[in-house]
Amino acid sequence: VIIYQEQVMAIYAAVTGGTQADADLARKVIVRSNVGDSKWEIQIAELRDKFKAGAKERGMNEKTAFKLWNEIFTHSRYSFNKSHAVAYTMISWECAWWKWFHRTAFYAEMLNVDPGSAPLYLSEAIRNGIKVRIPNVLNSGVEYDYDESDRTIHMPLTSVKFLGLKGAVAIVEARKERP
């Protein structure tokens, strides 16, 4: 099963007898996928012919070579390189862990990282039993904050329409100056 671009490159190099550099160039051409572009289609035909010739030289029957070429051609357009796939997997695993074990902190940080998606995250947090407190001049900050003990997210002053970051910072600073 072809999962990573590196596997496509390894198969291409093994079948054609070429180098990893040749295989990487082949991968780059295939990934571009400009159907209808005559220059690209010529390059693909050359790669396919080189692949079939290499397969024949190495004793592979034509049917198997054709099937393998189609697998390479299809998968290389949709596969990740291995380092990206591993990085995305690690990020997904870590996010899932935070969402399961520290749900309130997870939603608060997602709101801070992507405030444009606040309606989505807030409604999902509420559906998951997290309380959301509206902005409060006496204790809200400039970012979303949370209290894990009572599963509460505190909305920031910046979420008040027309207040903005400068106004929110001024309020927080003025609060610090009070005795």
Side-chain angles (χ1 to χ4, degrees):
V1 174
I2 298 171
I3 299 171
Y4 304 118
Q5 290 176 354
E6 289 84 353
Q7 290 170 304
V8 169
M9 292 166 50
I11 293 168
Y12 189 86
V15 171
T16 62
T19 65
Q20 283 295 315
D22 295 335
D24 190 38
L25 291 173
R27 177 199 58 82
K28 288 177 184 175
V29 170
I30 294 169
V31 168
R32 269 191 250 131
S33 187
N34 295 329
V35 176
D37 175 9
S38 59
K39 184 179 175 186
W40 178 80
E41 289 182 359
I42 290 168
Q43 290 176 316
I44 290 297
E46 290 170 355
L47 292 173
R48 184 182 56 239
D49 292 345
K50 184 177 180 179
F51 187 85
K52 286 181 180 180
K56 188 174 184 177
E57 276 179 35
R58 282 157 189 75
M60 189 181 295
N61 70 49
E62 194 173 326
K63 184 179 177 184
T64 303
F66 178 76
K67 186 175 179 180
L68 190 54
W69 169 258
N70 284 336
E71 285 290 315
I72 286 173
F73 187 74
T74 302
H75 284 86
S76 62
R77 291 186 292 165
Y78 300 104
S79 60
F80 286 109
N81 77 34
K82 191 173 185 178
S83 63
H84 286 152
V86 169
Y88 293 145
T89 301
M90 293 302 295
I91 291 168
S92 297
W93 178 87
E94 192 170 333
C95 284
W97 185 88
W98 277 98
K99 190 174 182 179
W100 183 259
F101 291 105
H102 300 282
R103 192 165 287 173
T104 309
F106 172 80
Y107 284 114
E109 291 308 314
M110 291 303 293
L111 287 158
N112 286 327
V113 169
D114 185 12
S117 297
L120 172 73
Y121 292 128
L122 288 170
S123 63
E124 191 175 321
I126 291 166
R127 275 195 311 272
N128 283 289
I130 297 169
K131 295 176 269 226
V132 177
R133 301 281 182 241
I134 61 174
N136 183 318
V137 136
L138 299 176
N139 55 25
S140 291
V142 295
E143 289 190 322
Y144 286 87
D145 198 6
Y146 64 94
D147 183 351
E148 193 78 61
S149 65
D150 69 348
R151 296 182 55 146
T152 303
I153 292 176
H154 303 276
M155 293 181 70
L157 292 170
T158 53
S159 63
V160 174
K161 194 170 185 170
F162 305 118
L163 182 59
L165 182 60
K166 286 183 181 179
V169 168
I171 291 170
V172 170
E173 291 301 318
R175 226 177 27 220
K176 289 179 185 174
E177 294 172 6
R178 284 191 349 197

